[in-house]
Amino acid sequence: MSDLGVGSTVPLRQLGRLMLEWRNRSGLSQARAAELLEMGATSLARIEKAEITRVRTGVIKEACGVYGVPEDIADGMVRLAQQAKVKNWWHSYRDLMPKHLDVYVGLEAAAAGCVTYQPELIPGLLQTEGYDRALLCARWPNDPADERDRRTQIKQRRQVAITRKNHPLDLDVVIGEAALRRPVGGSAVMASQLRHLADSSTRDNVSVRVLPLSAGYPGGMSMLPFVILDFGTPPSGEPTEPPVVYLEGTVGSMYLEDRDDVRIYQSAHEILRQAALDETASRNLLRRIAREYAS
């Protein structure tokens, strides 16, 4: 991306997608929207493509009014514009972003490839509904049923990225054996989850490897969960989106775009991948443990 060396591109990338989405929803052409906003069509295009280092919040507020963006999402878009100057973006859950404006989900939906390491949980893109609901009940025990339904529906929509016919997401995961042994939702839920994981691993675009407990600490350190999103090679003339490392924490999430930081996590994933069982052995282990849960 041009002109994006100053700060994190993540907030502006998500803002650009939202600006484009809501302009399309309003039925306005780029030229007509720019006219209504009293700005050049090229300037509006640069916002939508995130080819900028900063954008005035007044422009976003005005665009939200023209496009008919709901107030809560409009507030979130303004917050994204305000976050554009940071280098590595730390997104605290206390920022109170609207429920329907999930930055990570937006990035994941735009990605061409996803590489992840999960030492103790099944990755979200491969979770069954039963496994997901059991986690939600444990994490937010006081949530009403409709809120749990909303969260589950988001997870199910995310998973379409793997099975869609056109350009399905390439998913490469390493899962710690502890994730297979740590029960979530009971034996029946775990048996179903592990069978689903094994079945999913037969897809051409999905690689699942299990890191056995016997592997110890590859690279001499204990790695926390991480996700690397890659956005592929864009059509000629379109801006290139750099890969992003996503680190989810208890009180917030970190998005890393610095090339050296990304390379460190890419190297770590390769070390973990080499230490893990191969895909066939991993699939056999998943099916064997699933039978143990079912017996």
Side-chain angles (χ1 to χ4, degrees), residues 60-89:
I60 303 305
K61 290 178 181 178
E62 188 174 355
C64 288
V66 170
Y67 300 161
V69 180
E71 183 177 354
D72 62 337
I73 295 180
D75 288 344
M77 290 169 67
V78 169
R79 292 193 189 108
L80 288 172
Q82 293 169 338
Q83 295 288 328
K85 298 178 183 179
V86 297
K87 184 174 182 181
N88 286 319
W89 188 39

Side-chain angles (χ1 to χ4, degrees), residues 11-253:
L12 286 175
R13 284 152 71 175
Q14 182 61 7
L15 177 62
R17 291 187 186 100
L18 289 165
M19 286 283 284
L20 176 60
E21 175 188 344
W22 283 96
R23 177 173 65 77
N24 287 335
R25 287 194 186 193
S26 73
L28 294 171
S29 68
Q30 194 172 75
R32 179 55 178 158
E35 182 181 348
L36 293 172
L37 295 171
E38 298 182 345
M39 64 189 303
T42 299
S43 297
L44 179 57
R46 294 189 72 211
I47 293 174
E48 293 179 351
K49 293 180 179 180
E51 294 180 310
I52 49 176
T53 57
R54 65 191 66 184
V55 58
R56 290 188 295 110
T57 56
V59 171
I60 303 305
K61 290 178 181 178
E62 188 174 355
C64 288
V66 170
Y67 300 161
V69 180
E71 183 177 354
D72 62 337
I73 295 180
D75 288 344
M77 290 169 67
V78 169
R79 292 193 189 108
L80 288 172
Q82 293 169 338
Q83 295 288 328
K85 298 178 183 179
V86 297
K87 184 174 182 181
N88 286 319
W89 188 39
W90 166 257
H91 169 43
S92 171
Y93 299 139
R94 289 176 293 182
D95 288 344
L96 298 177
M97 296 293 271
K99 293 178 181 178
H100 302 292
L101 205 166
D102 189 311
V103 174
Y104 174 77
V105 171
L107 286 171
E108 186 183 74
C114 176
V115 165
T116 183
Y117 170 59
Q118 291 290 337
E120 295 189 326
L121 281 175
I122 305 302
L125 287 173
L126 296 172
Q127 290 177 5
T128 63
E129 183 176 342
Y131 187 95
D132 181 36
R133 284 188 178 276
L135 288 175
L136 290 175
C137 288
R139 186 170 183 179
W140 290 286
N142 299 319
D143 270 3
D146 61 345
E147 177 61 14
R148 289 203 190 108
D149 289 342
R150 185 191 72 83
R151 294 180 188 274
T152 300
Q153 288 166 6
I154 290 174
K155 183 72 65 65
Q156 298 301 308
R157 286 197 296 269
R158 286 172 54 197
Q159 294 178 355
V160 172
I162 301 171
T163 58
R164 64 193 177 207
K165 291 183 178 180
N166 295 324
H167 308 293
L169 181 72
D170 286 323
L171 182 62
D172 188 337
V173 304
V174 175
I175 304 173
E177 185 179 348
L180 317 183
R181 303 290 185 181
R182 195 181 297 277
V184 173
S187 296
V189 169
M190 287 301 297
S192 176
Q193 173 63 77
L194 298 189
R195 286 194 297 267
H196 173 71
L197 199 55
D199 292 344
S200 297
S201 71
T202 64
R203 302 185 65 87
D204 292 339
N205 60 310
V206 177
S207 172
V208 175
R209 292 174 182 254
V210 176
L211 181 69
L213 295 173
S214 59
Y217 294 96
M221 62 186 298
S222 175
M223 290 295 298
L224 295 173
F226 62 85
V227 177
I228 308 172
L229 296 174
D230 180 80
F231 299 87
T233 303
S236 178
E238 291 296 312
T240 299
E241 291 199 46
V244 175
V245 175
Y246 172 71
L247 307 173
E248 183 176 14
T250 303
V251 297
S253 299

